[in-house]
Amino acid sequence: MHKSIFTLATLAVAASASAQSSVTLFGVVDVAVSRYNVKSEWYNNTANPFLLPPPGQPMSIKRSQTALSQGNLATSRLGFRGSEDLGGGLAASFWLEGQINPDDGSRGPQNFNRRSTVSLSSSSLGELRLGRDYTPTFWNDTVFDPLGGVGAGISLINTVFTNLATVRGAATAANPGVISMGGSDSYVRTSNTIGYFLPPNLGGVYGQVQYALHENVDQSNVAGTPSKKGRYFGGRLGYESGPLNVAVAYGESTAGDFTAVTPAGLPTGAGFENKIKSANLGASYDFGVVKLFGEVSVARDELKSSVPFAGQPLTMTEKDKYTGGLIGATVPVGPGLIRFAYQRVKFKNDPGLALPTPFASNRDASANKLAISYVHNLSKRTALYATAARIRVKNGENNPAIMGATALGSAQYLSTGNGTAGYRPRSATGFDFGIRHAF
């Protein structure tokens, strides 16, 4: 009797809660068999034209890998989202979403690394959102990529800018109490954010602004605190109506800063600051028989360093530049979709105060990528897909950690010689054959 009463009471409470709010469990399971191949070639930027690889070593070296991979059509994930109607057009919502790896079962949903937000929204005033979320600049890089920003066909813009954020350590990690959720933070996503989204009733105009707190500690007797490492701010403004969608975005993150002090805590005049500034413009137009995509994107890796000179700080600035472009299309074919994209990214090195030498090589680099994919929809939730992509890298000895853009499993280029003589990234191919199920 007591159990029956308790059960009825529980059901009554649940029914009352469900009348005011809703919670949805959702996810994607995407697994593929993938094949990756990368090729490195010998280069020689010395004055000796006869300098060859060590005895017994070839002029080019290939690495390859076959893997059971995940997330090549849509990243595998598990999430919970819900909302509550507060009345008067106001609603409260939450979104908790984490990546899962069905190929090996790792990274369970307790780690909500993809998105973790709570928000208040109004159809007339917009949405205020707090937590870990996508950056405004990343949206253009994925929305205007015909291959959706994942898999072997992911755009070079996405890959190179992810490499840049990872290599520069743009993620929030300066404060010992702050745990970075990913090396690509401040490009794909960022933590500790306060964001605002325009309401949906502006005649097709949409947009957002976002600010990420660095959460580093300010100590009154220590010069140069708090560090701004991990701070991000950016915005996006777009227009979507019928077949047309166009948007522009800007973002700026502080990858690091430091002020040198004496044992007495006084500034010495030495220090540095590293900021990554990016802007992009993307557009798509759906003609029905074909949907066209295009994007241009620019990132500046700015380093400002100071050294004491004659009692005053001497400041030097270096600004490396990455310029990317993409054109592509999707073509519906019966229950399927053909996806195509051509991409190019160029790296322009700022030598700073370095003087050219007689045998100095070109300090710049570039990469091209061609990708094609076919998605066959078995239902609204389940699809089979195949993707093929090829990358060519020019002057890959320059900035190989960022411009050696493969994003292809563990088959990474062999890169040696520090730009003088050795092996450099040259080309890569990738293939995905998989199945995606959404729920």
Side-chain angles (χ1 to χ4, degrees), residues 313-390:
L314 176 63
T315 301
M316 297 162 287
T317 302
E318 295 181 28
K319 298 181 180 181
D320 289 345
K321 183 179 180 180
Y322 300 82
T323 305
L326 176 150
I327 55 173
T330 59
V331 181
V333 181
L337 186 70
I338 297 174
R339 308 181 301 166
F340 163 85
Y342 172 77
Q343 311 117 55
R344 175 176 171 83
V345 175
K346 183 177 180 180
F347 164 67
K348 182 69 174 177
N349 174 255
D350 181 356
L353 298 179
L355 297 176
T357 60
F359 300 100
S361 64
N362 180 2
R363 301 173 65 100
D364 305 334
S366 63
N368 302 294
K369 184 173 184 178
L370 183 65
I372 188 169
S373 175
Y374 174 69
V375 181
H376 186 80
N377 295 300
L378 301 176
S379 69
K380 290 183 178 180
R381 296 184 176 184
T382 304
L384 302 175
Y385 62 89
T387 302
R390 179 165 178 80

Side-chain angles (χ1 to χ4, degrees), residues 20-271:
Q20 301 175 32
S21 61
S22 63
V23 176
T24 300
L25 170 68
F26 67 95
V28 173
V29 180
D30 183 325
V31 181
V33 176
S34 298
R35 176 71 176 177
Y36 311 120
N37 300 280
V38 297
K39 178 182 177 181
S40 299
E41 67 177 9
W42 178 260
Y43 70 96
N44 176 16
N45 291 323
T46 71
N48 179 9
F50 303 105
L51 181 61
L52 298 174
Q57 295 300 310
M59 293 296 290
S60 64
I61 295 176
K62 298 179 180 179
R63 290 176 171 175
S64 61
Q65 177 190 24
T66 301
L68 191 67
S69 58
Q70 76 84 23
N72 297 297
L73 181 59
T75 303
S76 297
R77 69 198 75 171
L78 185 62
F80 308 87
R81 60 175 178 255
S83 63
E84 180 184 11
D85 186 353
L86 301 176
L90 186 66
S93 306
F94 77 93
W95 191 302
L96 301 173
E97 179 182 329
Q99 180 178 320
I100 58 174
N101 296 325
D103 54 330
D104 60 15
S106 64
R107 294 183 69 176
Q110 71 276 8
N111 182 357
F112 298 113
N113 60 326
R114 289 179 54 82
R115 178 175 166 182
S116 176
T117 61
V118 63
S119 62
L120 285 174
S121 61
S122 166
S123 58
S124 59
L125 299 178
E127 178 185 358
L128 178 65
R129 185 183 297 178
L130 308 176
R132 176 173 174 79
D133 203 358
Y134 293 97
T135 65
T137 40
F138 174 72
W139 276 116
N140 281 0
D141 289 339
T142 187
V143 168
F144 299 112
D145 177 2
L147 281 84
V150 292
I154 186 173
S155 79
L156 276 179
I157 296 172
N158 192 316
T159 303
V160 170
F161 287 12
T162 295
N163 290 347
L164 175 61
T166 302
V167 169
R168 293 294 178 260
T172 304
N175 185 355
V178 177
I179 300 175
S180 167
M181 297 288 284
S184 62
D185 274 12
S186 295
Y187 167 61
V188 179
R189 303 172 180 86
T190 192
S191 300
N192 314 316
T193 71
I194 302 170
Y196 169 74
F197 294 76
L198 292 174
N201 58 353
L202 299 179
V205 175
Y206 61 88
Q208 67 176 115
V209 291
Q210 184 185 75
Y211 181 82
L213 300 168
H214 55 72
E215 294 193 350
N216 300 310
V217 176
D218 182 4
Q219 186 169 325
S220 60
N221 65 330
V222 177
T225 65
S227 167
K228 304 299 191 300
K229 176 179 172 59
R231 183 178 67 176
Y232 172 92
F233 64 87
R236 181 173 184 242
L237 184 65
Y239 175 77
E240 184 173 15
S241 179
L244 175 67
N245 187 11
V246 59
V248 61
Y250 175 83
E252 181 176 316
S253 61
T254 301
D257 56 7
F258 174 74
T259 300
V261 297
T262 67
L266 300 176
T268 65

